Every structure is written in structure tokens, then in C-alpha cells.
């Protein structure tokens, strides 16, 4: 994969936060790829339609990750997000 679309819970919906495509080394890429391979595909779980929606592979939103970022943009997406780690301890919400 090139990047992960990320969102956070916002009431009964998900708030789209953008994509994170940095912070992965070879080991992390392999680990995340193995995790996402276990998740069933699905429809886009966010109302926003990202520019690359047509080439994105959408999954059931069950995985959690930790991301560091510089700030929020005016349109409420993350500026300079960097993947830190998967968070299996958070489980499905």
C-alpha cells in the first residue's frame, strides 16, 4: 500500500483526517499489510470523497493506529501525519 486513509469517531460517523504514508519501514509495512489483509473490504466509510477514491481500497473500519502530526489544517485534516504504530489494544469501537 502507499498510504492509509485515516478517520476518527465523531458521534455515529467517522471524521476523515486524510492519509498517512510516511513512518513505515519494511518491517512495519509487512506487519500492517498482514493486518489489513484480515479485514473485509467494504464501502467508503466516510462521507467525504477523497481525490483518489477511485483507486482506494476501502475496508471495514476496525483497525486503530497511532499517528503523530504537526497540526490540523483549516479543513480539519492532519498536516504532516507520520505513522507511529498499530493499536490493537483499542479494538473495535
Amino acid at each position: 500500500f502507499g498510504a492509509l486513509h485515516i478517520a476518527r469517531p465523531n458521534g455515529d460517523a467517522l471524521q476523515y483526517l486524510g492519509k498517512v504514508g510516511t513512518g513505515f519501514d519494511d518491517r512495519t509495512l509487512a506487519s500492517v499489510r498482514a493486518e489489513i489483509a484480515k479485514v473485509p473490504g467494504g464501502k467508503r466509510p466516510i462521507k467525504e470523497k477523497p481525490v483518489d477514491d477511485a483507486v482506494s481500497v476501502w475496508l471495514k473500519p476496525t483497525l486503530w493506529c497511532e499517528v503523530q502530526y504537526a497540526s490540523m489544517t483549516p479543513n480539519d485534516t492532519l498536516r504532516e501525519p507520520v505513522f507511529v504504530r498499530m493499536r490493537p489494544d483499542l479494538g473495535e469501537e
Side-chain angles (χ1 to χ4, degrees), residues 7-17 47-48 64 76:
R8 68 176 167 201
N10 185 10
D12 291 336
L14 291 174
Q15 176 187 352
Y16 185 62
L17 298 175
K47 66 179 178 180
E48 298 84 359
W64 291 79
D76 291 325

Side-chain angles (χ1 to χ4, degrees), residues 7-72:
R8 68 176 167 201
N10 185 10
D12 291 336
L14 291 174
Q15 176 187 352
Y16 185 62
L17 298 175
K19 296 190 315 184
V20 59
T22 62
F24 303 99
D25 58 20
D26 290 340
R27 187 172 131 207
T28 307
L29 278 171
S31 175
V32 172
R33 186 175 290 120
E35 285 297 311
I36 63 178
K38 299 174 191 173
V39 179
K43 295 180 182 180
R44 179 173 18 99
I46 54 170
K47 66 179 178 180
E48 298 84 359
K49 186 174 183 180
V51 174
D52 58 356
D53 181 60
V55 296
S56 294
V57 176
W58 297 100
L59 305 174
K60 183 178 177 188
T62 59
L63 300 176
W64 291 79
C65 68
E66 184 174 331
V67 176
Q68 291 181 335
Y69 58 96
S71 61
M72 296 295 286

